[in-house]
Amino acid sequence: MDRSAADMTDVEARSLGHLLRDGLSGLNALQAARCLIVVAALLLVLVTLDPFPDLRNPDVATVVGGRMALTYVSWGLLAAVAVLFVAATDAPALKSLVTPLHLCLVGWLLINIVFSESRGVSMQRFVLAASVTSIAVLIPLLPPTQRSFNQCLGAAALALLALCYLGIVLAPQYSIHTALDITEPQLAGDWRGSFGHKNVASPVMTILVYVGIYLSAVGSFVMGPAIAALAGLFLVFTGGKTSSVLCLAIYGLASLVYVTRNLWLKRMVCFVPLIVMNLLTVGSVMSPSLGAMTRLLPLDPTFTGRSEIWEFALAAVAEKPIIGHGYAAFWDDVTERQTAAGSEWATSAAHSHNSYLDLAVTIGLPGLLLVVLVFVLAPLRNFQTVQAHNRSNALGKLFLTIWLFGLYFGTTETFLLERQNPVWFMFALAVAGLHFLARFQCVAQMEPGR
């Protein structure tokens, strides 16, 4: 998927419609269909089938059966079609995913579902997560060239940004938090775009900033900066503190990893600050000494009192440390749990506000360990291989940056293995991208018969 700067100059100043048309014009029907699947999947996860929810409506959180059924069907069909396309042309890449570690993770998830406190809920949500994750993993393989991959990524980003900004201008009551919101009226004035919450909009905009920087680096001198600037501006107005702080900090950290050649030094650069962040957050409620240290800091590492939620989640881990409470089934109704007594915020929380702690609660400590091995340790080793073979370093850096952002974002928010969460989707895409780049060379130009 390598490309030169000249590859994109003929489409830079054109409209989104022209970009899609011209980008697909050099492809045959099957290749064009593969690119359309990529764009459709990206828009489905970023825009969803229910954009601009009315947060003033008391029934906004009510799950509509027909709408959920459409979501499951849409993702299931896209996943099935994507697998068929990739199996026909990239069977070796698919086979490379069948590793003992990956099989152990899937096997443990299935065991966890069998012993889940809400087996039906866990199974249902696992099916959706499997469909969404499958598409995310296959997206790097679907476009026939890196040029078409870049165009698909840029087209989806521009479509989302256009929709979000149109919402701000034409329907601000549906795209900006208001004082009339049923929950969290204190967020009034924060932009959320087509998303249901600013805490979803802000990390997505951060990832789009990275996409814009990447496209600029590979020669897209109009579309790339436009995406980065529009996403960056939107990020500021979301008021998302975590994503805003992490945005440039993670890009700087990724740049440091990029110029560090030794793998062990890379690991220290990536993981030492990550461990420190987890110690300052969840660790502060586990250890009185750490708690005393964090209280001396000039900032609140518990992010306005999340310590109650972490204490509640840690108590839940202690109840079932090995098997966990069940994939995606713990937080539906925690008000009846004995460990929630006296913790008003914990009983109303939808998750633990820490991805790693949440996995320990739901799929147990063995499940957490497997996730760390697959999604935390392996990607950095893959990136080291990408650099060693000099394979599409700009694309590798994009995947590295998104992966790093997800690791650090996970210290204050929950997204790992979370069904159609857009951050999880882009994170899984980045991890898969590093996996494939470490093992296969990208297609730079169209090849006959591909």
Side-chain angles (χ1 to χ4, degrees), residues 397-413:
K397 186 177 181 181
L398 170 66
F399 292 149
L400 173 77
T401 309
I402 295 174
W403 167 74
L404 267 178
F405 172 75
L407 293 186
Y408 282 81
F409 182 72
T411 61
T412 58
E413 298 294 340

Side-chain angles (χ1 to χ4, degrees), residues 306-393:
R306 289 178 183 172
S307 55
E308 285 188 12
I309 301 176
W310 295 331
E311 289 173 352
F312 171 56
L314 286 169
V317 173
E319 288 178 349
K320 294 186 176 182
I322 303 301
I323 199 64
H325 292 266
Y327 171 75
F330 178 78
W331 296 95
D332 282 354
D333 185 9
V334 296
T335 57
E336 301 300 324
R337 297 184 182 274
Q338 185 176 355
T339 50
S343 180
E344 181 179 352
W345 192 0
T347 58
S348 62
H351 52 82
S352 66
H353 287 280
N354 183 287
S355 290
Y356 311 100
L357 177 57
D358 213 79
L359 289 177
V361 171
T362 55
I363 63 175
L365 294 176
L368 171 62
L369 175 62
L370 288 169
V371 169
V372 168
L373 292 174
V374 173
F375 292 104
V376 179
L377 298 181
L380 187 60
R381 187 171 61 250
N382 287 332
F383 180 72
Q384 179 78 354
T385 304
V386 171
Q387 282 193 309
H389 293 86
N390 196 29
R391 291 174 177 164
S392 304
N393 282 332

Side-chain angles (χ1 to χ4, degrees), residues 394-439:
L395 184 58
K397 186 177 181 181
L398 170 66
F399 292 149
L400 173 77
T401 309
I402 295 174
W403 167 74
L404 267 178
F405 172 75
L407 293 186
Y408 282 81
F409 182 72
T411 61
T412 58
E413 298 294 340
T414 299
F415 77 93
L416 288 173
L417 302 184
E418 191 181 341
R419 307 192 293 285
Q420 74 269 40
N421 185 305
V423 181
W424 163 246
F425 186 91
M426 298 303 295
F427 180 83
L429 190 161
V431 170
L434 290 172
H435 172 92
F436 294 130
L437 281 179
R439 291 160 177 80

Side-chain angles (χ1 to χ4, degrees), residues 134-442:
S134 296
I135 298 177
V137 169
L138 296 179
I139 276 183
L141 301 176
L142 283 167
T145 67
Q146 185 173 350
R147 177 186 180 183
S148 55
F149 174 83
N150 295 342
Q151 289 174 334
C152 290
L153 202 58
L158 286 174
L160 174 66
L161 287 167
L163 189 66
C164 287
Y165 274 100
L166 283 174
I168 297 297
V169 174
L170 301 179
Q173 69 273 25
Y174 296 106
S175 52
I176 301 177
H177 285 286
T178 73
L180 298 178
D181 289 357
I182 299 301
T183 60
E184 298 183 288
Q186 69 273 18
L187 300 180
D190 291 338
W191 290 11
R192 61 182 176 91
S194 61
F195 301 96
H197 199 282
K198 71 159 191 173
N199 286 346
V200 181
S202 55
V204 170
M205 292 302 159
T206 298
I207 292 172
L208 292 190
V209 169
Y210 300 148
V211 170
I213 293 173
Y214 159 70
L215 292 175
S216 302
V218 294
S220 181
F221 299 123
V222 173
M223 184 170 65
I227 291 173
L230 290 171
L233 179 64
F234 204 100
L235 171 61
V236 171
F237 282 99
T238 63
K241 297 180 181 64
T242 302
S243 296
S244 297
V245 170
L246 288 178
C247 183
L248 294 181
I250 292 300
Y251 190 80
L253 188 65
S255 299
L256 181 58
V257 174
Y258 187 82
V259 299
T260 302
R261 294 302 171 187
N262 182 271
L263 178 58
W264 277 104
L265 287 178
K266 277 184 168 72
R267 286 170 175 160
M268 291 182 64
V269 171
C270 288
F271 301 139
V272 169
L274 182 65
I275 293 171
V276 170
M277 283 191 67
N278 276 294
L279 289 176
L280 291 177
T281 52
V282 175
S284 66
V285 302
M286 297 177 64
S287 166
S289 300
L290 285 173
M293 290 175 58
T294 57
R295 285 191 290 272
L296 297 176
L297 296 175
L299 49 83
D300 179 14
T302 67
F303 293 86
T304 322
R306 289 178 183 172
S307 55
E308 285 188 12
I309 301 176
W310 295 331
E311 289 173 352
F312 171 56
L314 286 169
V317 173
E319 288 178 349
K320 294 186 176 182
I322 303 301
I323 199 64
H325 292 266
Y327 171 75
F330 178 78
W331 296 95
D332 282 354
D333 185 9
V334 296
T335 57
E336 301 300 324
R337 297 184 182 274
Q338 185 176 355
T339 50
S343 180
E344 181 179 352
W345 192 0
T347 58
S348 62
H351 52 82
S352 66
H353 287 280
N354 183 287
S355 290
Y356 311 100
L357 177 57
D358 213 79
L359 289 177
V361 171
T362 55
I363 63 175
L365 294 176
L368 171 62
L369 175 62
L370 288 169
V371 169
V372 168
L373 292 174
V374 173
F375 292 104
V376 179
L377 298 181
L380 187 60
R381 187 171 61 250
N382 287 332
F383 180 72
Q384 179 78 354
T385 304
V386 171
Q387 282 193 309
H389 293 86
N390 196 29
R391 291 174 177 164
S392 304
N393 282 332
L395 184 58
K397 186 177 181 181
L398 170 66
F399 292 149
L400 173 77
T401 309
I402 295 174
W403 167 74
L404 267 178
F405 172 75
L407 293 186
Y408 282 81
F409 182 72
T411 61
T412 58
E413 298 294 340
T414 299
F415 77 93
L416 288 173
L417 302 184
E418 191 181 341
R419 307 192 293 285
Q420 74 269 40
N421 185 305
V423 181
W424 163 246
F425 186 91
M426 298 303 295
F427 180 83
L429 190 161
V431 170
L434 290 172
H435 172 92
F436 294 130
L437 281 179
R439 291 160 177 80
F440 305 98
Q441 180 63 50
C442 290

Side-chain angles (χ1 to χ4, degrees), residues 54-113:
D54 185 1
L55 302 185
R56 301 165 300 172
N57 186 347
D59 299 325
V60 67
T62 303
V63 177
V64 179
R67 187 182 305 156
M68 284 305 299
L70 182 59
T71 298
Y72 276 77
V73 170
S74 300
W75 281 111
L77 287 176
L78 271 179
V81 173
V83 169
L84 289 175
F85 273 124
V86 172
T89 56
D90 298 278
L94 276 182
K95 290 179 181 177
S96 72
L97 293 171
V98 184
T99 68
L101 193 56
H102 293 168
L103 292 176
C104 284
L105 176 57
V106 174
W108 179 259
L109 287 172
L110 293 176
I111 292 172
N112 174 263
I113 291 171

